[in-house]
Amino acid sequence: MARLVQKFGGTSVATLGRIKNVAEIVAESKTKHKDIIVVVSAMAGVTNKFVDCVNSLGADEGHPEYDTVLSSGELVTAGLTAIALEKVGIKSRSYASWQVPIFTNNNYGHAVIQNVDPSNINKDLENGIVPVVCGFQGVSQEEKKITTLGRGGSDLTAVAVASAIKADLCEIYSDVDGVYTVDPNLYTGAHRIDEIYYSEMLEMASQGAKVLQEQSVLYAMEKKVVVRVASSFIKAPGTIISPTAPQKRFCGMAVTPALSQIQISFKDSIQKYDNVIQNLLAKHFVQCDFVENRGKVNVMLDKRYASIALSLIRNSSCISDARYKFSRKPLSKISVVGADLNTNVGQNFIAELKKHKIDSFVGTVTLHKINLIVATEQLLDTISVLHKYCGLDK
Ligand code: ASP
Ligand code: MG
């Protein structure tokens, strides 16, 4: 009898019908497991609507009331889910973050969890109650105000609660049935990964695979929480993320289809540009790649983060100019994720792609990923060539 956390994302609770479906999934699990804690997201689309409202009044991420507004969607879902559970004969109660409590710092918009007190939840479990915890929210220890954990932060709530109550497994339910070698919408040869190690999952999440929030993977890795990614729409084994997963040379690829470019000129030498700018952007959870070109540096990043990145870079004291750069051919990024990787492997990819008349260049390389930049018009061909070359086709 394992102790389980079951987290349901926005599409899994998008309608009252889907919430009833969640109650059925929990009820079925309850026949096998005594202790279950549910964590929920806001109903699909709700949080985005709140962002629009806040922005329309001229406030943005970082404003303390941004968190108050954004976090409210989860409270509605938690209450509705607790009612739906009661209707299928399961004793339940909802928890806002401050009722657990889940304490954070007061970094509004991207608060960091400092402590999760498991005692209230444990008491409920002893009494056969299924607690339904609001994902995404915390409460600042210092100011006693509601905080949020960054977009997609319900995953982090689930992992943090799982760690605090010493759960055997943290299940993350969404509308996809696991982590795939590459987005199956982009390549029909993609297949579901049965088991993946934390560091590889971290690269998949940070480089664009959207199944799990990046910080949640980091937290799980640190606390050794075993996570299962599964679908609430179909019954399937999903993907297990664990410390005992076999580490493979190549395990998958994450794709960022639309890159923006920001061209920077530096005041002095550009020697240390990458560290300064990369750290600056990383602090705001923006991933980027650099290409040096005739004394200037092009920063390539997901289109969605371009405007925040440009304003951050412009405020940096080491630059003399930063502006958008438009290339005739739109660019995309493919991150090949695995273990023991290095730039030589990246050069092999370039050579292989060249054989197929695809021009590419290498961006960031770490032990666990190689970022390649290609023209978007050749993205699908690149995926197909590399998926085969890396032995990922089944
Ligand atoms: N509702 C929040 C968001 O849309 C948190 C989450 O869904 O994980 O970002
Ligand atoms: Mg999510």
Side-chain angles (χ1 to χ4, degrees):
M1 267 219 188
R3 194 169 240 218
L4 282 189
V5 169
Q6 300 191 306
K7 180 256 163 176
F8 297 92
T11 50
S12 299
V13 294
T15 62
L16 296 177
R18 295 307 311 165
I19 291 178
K20 284 185 190 166
N21 173 66
V22 163
E24 277 156 28
I25 292 175
V26 176
E28 201 203 316
S29 308
K30 194 84 171 89
T31 60
K32 297 177 217 135
H33 308 284
K34 188 173 144 282
D35 294 343
I36 295 181
I37 299 94
V38 174
V39 174
V40 289
S41 287
M43 294 163 93
V46 166
T47 315
N48 286 342
K49 246 187 240 155
F50 291 153
V51 173
D52 290 344
C53 292
V54 172
N55 289 346
S56 300
L57 287 182
D60 215 333
E61 189 186 295
H63 191 296
E65 300 306 340
Y66 169 97
D67 301 53
T68 308
V69 178
L70 260 72
S71 67
S72 62
E74 271 69 13
L75 197 56
V76 174
T77 319
L80 291 172
T81 306
I83 295 171
L85 283 169
E86 194 186 282
K87 296 295 174 200
V88 294
I90 293 175
K91 283 197 278 178
S92 175
R93 69 151 281 183
S94 62
Y95 275 91
S97 55
W98 58 271
Q99 293 168 313
V100 175
I102 299 170
F103 285 120
T104 69
N105 65 7
N106 54 10
N107 186 13
Y108 294 101
H110 275 285
V112 176
I113 294 180
Q114 292 173 327
N115 178 39
V116 179
D117 182 345
S119 44
N120 290 332
I121 286 181
N122 277 332
K123 234 177 274 160
D124 275 355
L125 294 175
E126 276 164 32
N127 294 321
I129 294 167
V130 172
V132 182
V133 179
C134 290
F136 185 46
Q137 324 180 338
V139 56
S140 89
Q141 197 132 272
E142 215 177 296
E143 297 176 359
K144 303 288 178 288
K145 258 184 87 43
I146 298 281
T147 56
T148 56
L149 309 175
R151 296 303 306 273
S154 297
D155 296 339
L156 178 55
T157 307
V159 170
V161 168
S163 165
I165 60 141
K166 301 191 171 42
D168 302 281
L169 181 64
C170 178
E171 294 185 323
I172 306 275
Y173 287 91
S174 71
D175 53 2
V176 294
D177 65 339
V179 182
Y180 277 73
T181 49
V182 69
D183 183 344
N185 298 313
L186 298 177
Y187 182 56
T188 47
H191 62 88
R192 193 177 40 75
I193 302 169
D194 294 329
E195 256 190 294
I196 183 170
Y197 189 74
Y198 296 114
S199 28
E200 280 85 329
M201 187 60 226
L202 189 60
E203 295 294 5
M204 292 290 277
S206 68
Q207 300 305 312
K210 291 175 205 76
V211 270
L212 277 180
Q213 189 218 29
E214 196 186 329
Q215 288 90 298
S216 74
V217 183
L218 262 177
Y219 202 101
M221 178 152 93
E222 227 175 87
K223 310 277 185 182
K224 299 207 169 39
V225 176
V226 179
V227 176
R228 185 169 86 95
V229 173
S231 165
S232 70
F233 291 74
I234 50 163
K235 254 194 168 170
T239 298
I240 297 275
I241 301 136
S242 84
T244 54
Q247 278 191 287
K248 296 189 199 116
R249 187 81 201 262
F250 303 115
C251 72
M253 316 192 299
V255 177
T256 310
L259 291 179
S260 286
Q261 293 188 70
I262 296 171
Q263 190 172 62
I264 309 179
S265 315
F266 287 86
K267 281 184 182 148
D268 312 310
S269 110
I270 59 173
Q271 298 266 295
K272 291 196 190 95
Y273 64 82
D274 45 357
N275 282 339
V276 176
I277 300 294
Q278 202 150 24
N279 290 343
L280 173 73
L281 296 180
K283 259 193 221 153
H284 292 81
F285 306 93
V286 178
Q287 297 281 338
C288 59
D289 287 86
F290 294 94
V291 178
E292 213 179 301
N293 187 8
R294 283 185 236 138
K296 291 186 176 160
V297 168
N298 290 339
V299 182
M300 277 170 286
L301 72 182
D302 191 324
K303 198 165 87 186
R304 288 175 301 166
Y305 307 123
S307 72
I308 172 152
L310 184 63
S311 62
L312 287 168
I313 292 170
R314 280 190 172 147
N315 285 333
S316 159
S317 57
C318 65
I319 69 137
S320 65
D321 184 43
R323 61 183 64 201
Y324 285 126
K325 178 172 185 281
F326 297 96
S327 56
R328 260 183 317 115
K329 283 189 177 173
L331 298 177
S332 294
K333 183 185 76 177
I334 299 177
S335 300
V336 179
V337 175
D340 268 333
L341 303 179
N342 56 47
T343 36
N344 289 341
V345 183
Q347 293 309 322
N348 294 344
F349 289 162
I350 291 184
E352 179 64 20
L353 289 167
K354 194 100 214 147
K355 285 189 208 156
H356 293 82
K357 300 196 171 38
I358 298 172
D359 284 326
S360 59
F361 53 91
V362 176
T364 310
V365 176
T366 68
L367 266 183
H368 293 288
K369 70 157 179 273
I370 294 168
N371 286 354
L372 281 176
I373 315 288
V374 294
T376 303
E377 59 186 26
Q378 290 189 305
L379 175 64
L380 297 182
D381 290 339
T382 308
I383 293 172
S384 157
V385 170
L386 287 180
H387 203 272
K388 290 186 191 76
Y389 182 73
C390 294
L392 294 170
D393 276 26
K394 261 198 172 159

